[in-house]
């Protein structure tokens, strides 16, 4: 069963519009809403995409380089799914070589300075005038989160697991719906 998650409605539609622009779609407003499947069995949070759930996940790929719109040499793939309690997002970040991956920060405290490293960033908003929730994680699973880019305003109870391979790294997120701006469970 695939459905859209209406409690995240605006945030996902804004993300779809932004993704459409990043994918080089000329008229992002004409992009179809992304159907995110329900996971009967949640994937193990291990930084790998070997669970059956990820094979059934919604897939976004074909991103363009920010600013230039050029097609990158290696592409990023994003997979999404949900269960009754959580949103699951897996981001596969390709690199020409692991030596090109910048992963210096290795701190175990909340809101570490992740932005000097290669990292994945996620943004959520519950509506047009709602504050934005911002999550980030590095390939070493160093986390950062904030409300309106102020880390002192929010320490989310989300999880991330990462793995590194020869030509990519994967960040696998488990985000409870109660942590998202809509403060609700999925319905659709």
């Amino acid at each position: 069963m695939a459905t859209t998650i209406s409690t995240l409605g605006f945030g996902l539609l804004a993300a779809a519009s932004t993704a459409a622009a990043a994918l080089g779609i000329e008229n992002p407003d004409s992009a179809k809403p992304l159907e995110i499947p329900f996971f009967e069995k949640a994937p193990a949070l291990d930084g790998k995409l070997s669970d059956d759930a990820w094979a059934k996940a919604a897939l976004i790929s074909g991103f363009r380089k920010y600013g230039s719109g050029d097609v990158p040499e290696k592409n990023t793939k994003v997979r999404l799914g949900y269960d009754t309690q959580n949103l699951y997002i897996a981001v596969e970040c390709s690199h020409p070589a692991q030596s090109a991956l910048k992963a210096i920060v290795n701190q175990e405290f909340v809101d570490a300075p992740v932005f000097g490293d290669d990292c994945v960033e996620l943004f959520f908003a519950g509506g047009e005038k709602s504050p934005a929730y911002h999550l980030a994680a590095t390939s070493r699973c160093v986390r950062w989160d904030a409300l309106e880019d102020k880390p002192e305003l929010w320490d989310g109870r989300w999880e991330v697991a990462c793995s590194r391979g020869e030509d990519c790294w994967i960040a696998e997120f488990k985000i409870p719906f109660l942590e998202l701006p809509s403060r609700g469970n999925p319905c659709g």
Side-chain angles (χ1 to χ4, degrees):
M1 171 176 77
T3 187
T4 54
I5 302 174
S6 61
T7 58
L8 297 176
F10 180 81
L12 285 177
L13 289 176
S17 178
T18 301
L23 292 169
I25 296 172
E26 291 186 22
N27 183 4
D29 293 332
S30 69
K32 294 180 183 177
L34 180 66
E35 290 190 9
I36 301 173
F38 179 81
F39 287 163
E40 294 292 333
K41 182 179 177 193
L45 201 65
D46 57 8
K48 299 175 183 167
L49 301 177
S50 55
D51 281 288
D52 289 340
W54 291 124
K56 299 171 186 166
L59 176 65
I60 304 171
S61 64
F63 291 96
R64 304 283 183 138
K65 289 184 180 180
Y66 180 75
S68 70
D70 294 339
V71 176
E73 180 182 330
K74 298 280 187 170
N75 210 332
T76 297
K77 296 176 185 166
V78 179
R79 292 172 175 80
L80 299 104
Y82 72 99
D83 64 17
T84 58
Q85 302 293 316
N86 304 292
L87 176 63
Y88 298 91
I89 302 173
V91 183
E92 185 178 349
C93 305
S94 297
H95 277 279
Q98 274 300 313
S99 61
L101 179 63
K102 188 171 182 185
I104 298 168
V105 178
N106 193 17
Q107 298 170 334
E108 296 296 326
F109 62 87
V110 175
D111 299 328
V114 300
F115 300 107
D117 285 3
D118 287 327
C119 65
V120 169
E121 297 182 63
L122 304 174
F123 297 84
F124 297 93
E128 192 171 332
K129 296 186 181 192
S130 295
Y133 289 73
H134 184 178
L135 293 71
T138 71
S139 64
R140 292 185 176 193
C141 293
V142 179
R143 296 172 16 129
W144 182 91
D145 59 22
L147 174 62
E148 292 297 310
D149 285 329
K150 295 181 178 110
E152 66 274 10
L153 294 181
W154 182 56
D155 286 322
R157 292 181 305 242
W158 54 277
E159 300 174 50
V160 65
C162 302
S163 64
R164 293 193 270 183
E166 288 184 28
D167 61 352
C168 73
W169 69 279
I170 296 168
E172 189 178 23
F173 295 86
K174 177 182 175 183
I175 307 164
F177 283 110
L178 292 175
E179 288 294 306
L180 296 175
S182 64
R183 300 283 189 233
N185 287 322
C187 59

